[in-house]
Amino acid sequence: MNLLATMRPALVDYVLVSISLFLFLNIPFWFMSFGLLLGWRLKRSTRQRRELLLARVATERQIWEEKSASTSTTLDDEWEKVGRSRSHSGAKGDPATQADKDWSGLIGFFHPFCNAGGGGERVLWAAVRATQRRWPNATCVVYTGDHDTSKEQMLHRVKDRFNIDLYFPNVVILYLSSRRYVLASTWPHFTLLGQSIGSLITAYDAFSLVVPDIFIDTMGYAFALWLAKYLFFMPTGAYVHYPTISTDMLDSLDTDIGAAQGLNAGSGKGLKGAVKKLYWRLFSRLYGRVGGSVDVVMTNSSWTQNHIQQLWGPYRQAAASKHQVEVVYPPCAVEEVQQAIDVSAESEDKREPVLLYIAQFRPEKNHQLILKSFATFLHSDAYQKPTGGKEPRLLLLGSVRDSADETHVYSLRLLAHELHITENLSFLLNVSYPTILSHLGTASVGVNAMWNEHFGIGVVEYQAAGLISVVNNSGGPKYDIVVDNGNGPTGFHASTRDEYASGFAKALNLTREETISMRLRARESSKRFVDATFESGWNRQMERLVRLSVKARSSTKADT
């Protein structure tokens, strides 16, 4: 009896230890099971809202069609004939490919700041338009935190700002209540990790509104895509403008302070710097792991593609991803600029020796480097001014968002005074687009100074207007835009103060014939970035996501 009494506690301990060991060894199983259970609960709780949403879309579509029948505008006729071009990549008779033709699912676009009016928003709305044209029965759900803007106001702004027409009934705007968690100001310390965690909260908020069939992030929140895969195993897509962290960012920590390699250049020294390097390296691994779960990945430039492949590639390969990371250049206002501005021997007489830098007044745009380079250029003998010709001028044109930007502009004015270039310098703040077009038509040189700019829509507009570009020797401007396409150079690259000054001189010292030839080459090169090219590339990647969705739905029906 005493022996049995002493064995029972030992037996209980053995059982408890065995259960604990079993649970520990099966953490992935329980973790995934919890995710599926939570996802199932979200789908169930939002099912009625989804049905109401689709009913509202159907009602709006009927009203729109009745209105269109009575008014019969050109735009209505265009939407009556929306393209239904089919992909020829699938095998003939493949049920997934056949079902893809008239696919009518919900596509969720995760873009918490969709009313900002920048280049990222142009990509979003151009993507929605391309999707509507290819899949006219699909519903595009945009998750945003812009509570102060109605759907009508938002789509009107899209038309006014980007000249993008959308089919009103098939666009649904759902408003997030947790956007503050993705703001950098919410996370004063460990900002990268904090914003990533914040994107998980905001994405969960989105799924609490309605669970889509396909989930696409167009702002760079890879963790949100991981959550969609974890909860629902749904097809996910990413359009990456800029990696949250890159190997260049890690390398910049060890460069000299003040080097033209971003705001964190040289901050990796000392104990604090060592901690920062460790934090960034650990975060880059975590970022790579969550990015490895994304089904379809698009990047806006080859520079971004290279970095995403370095960070996400090993994990995507381990996950046996079938789709490579592909470049889909963002849509730019190339056709609009080319229609407004002539580039010819006749128009050359209207050009002035003006260097134009179009960029928001933010520290990373590196206006200081351009001011110093322009001062070096002015005070040297590198530029041969024609007899009776005008003095070179530098025009800084951009938007000012808040008091911080205003302070930055004030500091630039002080620097210009110290450099003795104020008589040859002008600032234009928050000007209209027609004003921008006017200066694109009269300037001679377009300037870009941001280190590792992910793409450079402004540089594309320089080329479309026929400006000779002097751009930073990094990022999208170097690898994708200001390139030699086989017919000769389309501009110049620079990194340092002296290199920029030399680039300015080279651009302004070209003969008239050389100048016109380079302008025409740059203009022709910009045609690679028209809307039609983006739409074709976007739909090619979307077809993969739609097929994944069709197959997933077919598998679900087969299981039930």
Side-chain angles (χ1 to χ4, degrees):
M1 188 69 179
N2 290 337
L3 179 62
L4 184 61
T6 57
M7 287 182 60
R8 280 178 178 172
L11 183 62
V12 171
D13 290 342
Y14 174 76
V15 171
L16 290 175
V17 169
S18 299
I19 292 174
S20 300
L21 182 61
F22 173 80
L23 292 174
F24 176 76
L25 294 176
N26 288 275
I27 283 177
F29 170 78
W30 296 112
F31 182 70
M32 295 305 296
S33 297
F34 175 76
L36 290 175
L37 179 62
L38 185 58
W40 172 82
R41 180 179 174 277
L42 278 172
K43 276 189 173 182
R44 183 180 179 186
S45 64
T46 61
R47 186 178 303 161
Q48 185 176 5
R49 185 180 292 115
R50 178 186 172 110
E51 293 171 355
L52 291 172
L53 183 150
L54 291 174
R56 187 179 70 186
V57 168
T59 301
E60 287 187 356
R61 189 180 300 163
Q62 183 178 359
I63 295 172
W64 181 276
E65 290 174 356
E66 290 175 355
K67 184 179 178 181
S68 299
S70 61
T71 57
S72 185
T73 64
T74 303
L75 176 59
D76 298 331
D77 292 340
E78 181 180 341
W79 279 112
E80 285 293 324
K81 298 182 289 185
V82 283
R84 292 171 180 254
S85 60
R86 293 184 56 190
S87 170
H88 300 288
S89 57
K92 189 174 181 179
D94 181 358
T97 304
Q98 296 295 331
D100 164 56
K101 178 181 178 182
D102 295 315
W103 187 75
S104 58
L106 260 66
I107 305 173
F109 290 86
F110 190 66
H111 204 107
F113 299 88
C114 73
N115 201 41
E121 288 67 54
R122 184 182 181 91
V123 168
L124 165 69
W125 297 115
V128 171
R129 179 179 61 184
T131 303
Q132 287 188 329
R133 287 175 171 170
R134 176 63 179 83
W135 293 276
N137 296 321
T139 301
C140 297
V141 178
V142 180
Y143 300 100
T144 181
D146 297 304
H147 288 261
D148 57 342
T149 309
S150 67
K151 173 180 169 180
E152 291 79 2
Q153 292 171 326
M154 196 171 293
L155 298 193
H156 178 76
R157 176 174 166 81
V158 170
K159 167 64 178 173
D160 185 59
R161 176 68 179 86
F162 304 119
N163 196 29
I164 292 177
D165 288 302
L166 298 170
Y167 183 54
F168 184 88
N170 285 9
V171 177
V172 175
I173 307 296
L174 295 181
Y175 297 95
L176 304 166
S177 60
S178 55
R179 188 174 71 174
R180 64 187 181 279
Y181 292 112
V182 297
L183 294 172
S185 57
T186 304
W187 311 92
H189 306 290
F190 298 98
T191 306
L192 294 179
L193 180 61
Q195 287 184 286
S196 298
I197 294 172
S199 70
L200 292 174
I201 299 171
T202 309
Y204 188 86
D205 181 13
F207 299 138
S208 299
L209 296 172
V210 71
V211 177
D213 300 305
I214 295 172
F215 190 63
I216 300 174
D217 165 61
T218 49
M219 279 201 73
Y221 298 118
F223 285 71
L225 296 171
W226 172 85
L227 185 65
K229 185 66 69 176
Y230 171 59
L231 296 177
F232 312 108
F233 276 99
M234 72 170 63
T236 55
Y239 188 94
V240 185
H241 295 272
Y242 197 93
T244 303
I245 193 168
S246 68
T247 52
D248 285 350
M249 286 173 62
L250 291 169
D251 293 340
S252 73
L253 296 176
D254 293 322
T255 59
D256 294 332
I257 296 175
Q261 294 190 14
L263 301 179
N264 290 285
S267 61
K269 297 177 173 59
L271 178 60
K272 184 178 179 180
V275 173
K276 186 166 190 172
K277 280 196 283 188
L278 176 62
Y279 159 53
W280 275 16
R281 288 196 178 102
L282 291 175
F283 179 80
S284 67
R285 293 184 182 180
L286 182 60
Y287 179 63
R289 188 173 294 277
V290 298
S293 69
V294 184
D295 293 305
V296 170
V297 181
M298 295 167 271
T299 65
N300 64 343
S301 68
S302 58
W303 180 89
T304 307
Q305 179 193 44
N306 291 335
H307 284 278
I308 288 296
Q309 285 177 333
Q310 290 178 31
L311 295 163
W312 293 8
Y315 298 99
R316 287 174 59 77
Q317 188 174 3
S321 176
K322 298 179 181 178
H323 307 305
Q324 297 295 319
V325 176
E326 295 197 17
V327 176
V328 177
Y329 290 127
C332 304
V334 171
E335 293 155 316
E336 186 176 350
V337 173
Q338 290 189 350
Q339 287 174 2
I341 299 172
D342 180 38
V343 177
S344 63
E346 292 75 20
S347 66
E348 191 63 25
D349 296 331
K350 300 177 184 178
R351 300 278 182 178
E352 299 177 357
V354 172
L355 285 70
L356 178 63
Y357 187 15
I358 302 176
Q360 292 177 318
F361 286 99
R362 301 203 304 256
E364 63 269 22
K365 296 301 182 180
N366 210 357
H367 289 85
Q368 293 95 329
L369 176 60
I370 297 304
L371 292 177
K372 293 175 182 178
S373 302
F374 185 63
T376 299
F377 163 71
L378 273 185
H379 301 151
S380 70
D381 298 326
Y383 173 59
Q384 305 298 322
K385 185 179 73 171
T387 304
K390 295 182 178 180
E391 286 283 340
R393 293 187 58 80
L394 174 63
L395 176 58
L396 302 182
L397 188 155
S399 61
V400 174
R401 303 164 301 172
D402 49 32
S403 59
D405 289 353
E406 291 174 355
T407 302
H408 184 58
V409 171
Y410 180 71
S411 68
L412 293 175
R413 292 183 187 275
L414 290 178
L415 177 60
H417 183 75
E418 294 173 5
L419 295 169
H420 306 291
I421 59 173
T422 53
E423 292 183 0
N424 297 77
L425 173 67
S426 298
F427 288 82
L428 285 179
L429 313 179
N430 298 327
V431 299
S432 65
Y433 190 64
T435 301
I436 294 174
L437 285 176
S438 174
H439 287 289
L440 284 170
T442 57
S444 289
V445 179
V447 181
N448 160 275
M450 181 177 174
W451 176 69
N452 270 347
E453 181 149 19
H454 48 284
F455 181 66
I457 289 178
V459 179
V460 174
E461 293 180 348
Y462 293 159
Q463 290 195 328
L467 271 64
I468 296 174
S469 301
V470 180
V471 300
N472 196 268
N473 193 31
S474 67
K478 174 184 179 179
Y479 295 108
D480 295 287
I481 305 174
V482 184
V483 296
D484 186 338
N485 291 314
N487 300 318
T490 57
F492 304 96
H493 303 134
S495 297
T496 66
R497 178 174 180 169
D498 289 337
E499 288 175 355
Y500 270 102
S502 175
F504 299 159
K506 290 177 183 177
L508 291 176
N509 283 335
L510 293 172
T511 65
R512 181 182 176 88
E513 291 73 21
E514 290 172 336
T515 299
I516 295 173
S517 295
M518 187 173 288
R519 293 196 198 286
L520 291 173
R521 287 197 299 269
R523 192 176 178 90
E524 184 65 27
S525 179
S526 70
K527 294 179 181 178
R528 295 175 293 139
F529 309 109
V530 297
D531 286 349
T533 303
F534 169 80
E535 184 166 328
S536 175
W538 174 269
N539 283 341
R540 189 167 55 249
Q541 304 306 315
M542 272 298 304
E543 285 172 355
R544 295 172 173 175
L545 290 172
V546 170
R547 283 197 291 270
L548 287 173
S549 178
V550 170
K551 289 180 180 179
R553 184 175 296 182
S554 300
S555 300
T556 302
K557 289 181 178 178
D559 293 339
T560 56

